[in-house]
Amino acid sequence: MTTGMLGRWLVIAPHPDDEVLGCGGTIARVAGEGGEVHVAVVTRGQPPAFDEELIARVRSEASAAHRHLAVRESHWLDLPAAQLFETPHSKLNHALGNLVRELRPDTLLIPFVGDVHMDHQLIFMSSLVAARPHQSTYPRRILAYETVSETNWNAPHVTASFVPNVFIDIEKTLQRKLEAAAMFGSQMRSFPHERSLETLRALAIVRGTAVHRAAAEAFVLIRDVM
């Protein structure tokens, strides 16, 4: 994918770091080429399941990573992390719907429906509800991104498999993605853990081979009426 990098983009992240793991290179590329990128982090850890100090640290790490990627604005929806299944679905629909109507993004990047985390699955569905084309303005392009440690642990032949059909060249922004990921000291792990810088680099290289590029990020196209 080499065209349509301008306009307004909205990345919907279930948790802080999903946006960097899944499409950090794309965010940096779009911003670098003159596009406007917004990131919505849907959930926030809640005590007692999450420690207040850790919650504050992760928010700070995400803010720093977003600045590094030149995100125009970060939007914190603060719904309860790992508890969306117990949250009225109308509340999630309402939060995402309001944001989409407010920002009017041209392109929407969302988590993949087959991810093993229930938060990701519910946010995928609510994102589609928010982007329904019966409105006067709606996102013309929707892409689902992959998140290491979530997308790759689906149940083959039982749940939806991530089969990408869009690849965005991030050869020039891969290093910036890795630098942003490294800012999540509370979340990243040492190799061979999948949430490691080495794994992110390797995945980008593998995805790049699909389009004869040095590095790429992969997506599933949901809608494109640009």
Side-chain angles (χ1 to χ4, degrees):
M1 180 176 178
T2 58
T3 61
M5 304 303 288
L6 300 180
R8 180 174 295 164
W9 294 53
L10 173 59
V11 182
I12 298 181
H15 317 99
D17 82 353
D18 289 331
E19 72 284 11
V20 176
L21 296 176
C23 45
T26 298
I27 292 172
R29 178 179 168 185
V30 171
E33 294 185 8
E36 177 183 325
V37 184
H38 292 253
V39 172
V41 179
V42 177
T43 70
R44 177 182 183 273
Q46 306 286 342
F50 298 89
D51 179 80
E52 286 282 10
E53 184 176 341
L54 177 60
I55 294 169
R57 179 183 176 185
V58 173
R59 175 71 60 92
S60 177
E61 291 171 346
S63 296
H66 293 177
R67 288 193 297 271
H68 192 67
L69 296 173
V71 169
R72 175 69 61 88
E73 186 175 356
S74 303
H75 306 265
W76 313 96
L77 304 188
D78 289 336
L79 293 174
Q83 297 178 43
L84 288 184
F85 187 74
E86 292 82 17
T87 302
H89 201 56
S90 59
K91 187 174 182 179
L92 178 58
N93 288 347
H94 184 72
L96 291 176
N98 282 347
L99 186 62
V100 169
R101 284 189 293 272
E102 174 190 344
L103 294 179
R104 298 185 177 185
D106 303 295
T107 301
L108 195 62
L109 302 184
I110 64 178
F112 183 62
V113 67
D115 291 359
V116 296
H117 201 308
M118 182 64 72
D119 285 356
H120 289 225
Q121 298 171 23
L122 293 172
I123 289 168
F124 173 90
M125 296 305 300
S126 286
S127 296
L128 295 188
V129 170
R132 285 180 295 192
H134 62 201
Q135 307 166 80
S136 58
T137 61
Y138 60 90
R140 265 36 183 192
R141 180 190 293 129
I142 303 176
L143 299 167
Y145 59 85
E146 61 180 330
T147 308
V148 289
S149 80
E150 303 293 353
T151 312
N152 53 304
W153 285 112
N154 73 313
H157 312 298
V158 178
T159 58
S161 296
F162 186 81
V163 182
N165 53 7
V166 171
F167 299 85
I168 296 181
D169 181 359
I170 61 164
E171 178 179 359
K172 295 180 180 178
T173 56
L174 173 58
Q175 186 57 37
R176 187 169 291 272
K177 169 180 178 164
L178 297 177
E179 291 166 354
M183 293 177 178
F184 282 96
S186 66
Q187 306 299 310
M188 298 301 290
R189 299 291 182 264
S190 299
F191 186 79
H193 195 283
E194 56 206 336
R195 283 181 177 247
S196 67
L197 298 182
E198 292 87 347
T199 298
L200 290 180
R201 183 186 296 276
L203 179 60
I205 293 171
V206 169
R207 292 310 190 190
T209 63
V211 285
H212 304 289
R213 295 290 186 269
E217 287 174 333
F219 303 85
V220 172
L221 180 64
I222 308 297
R223 175 196 297 161
D224 191 358
V225 291
M226 302 293 281

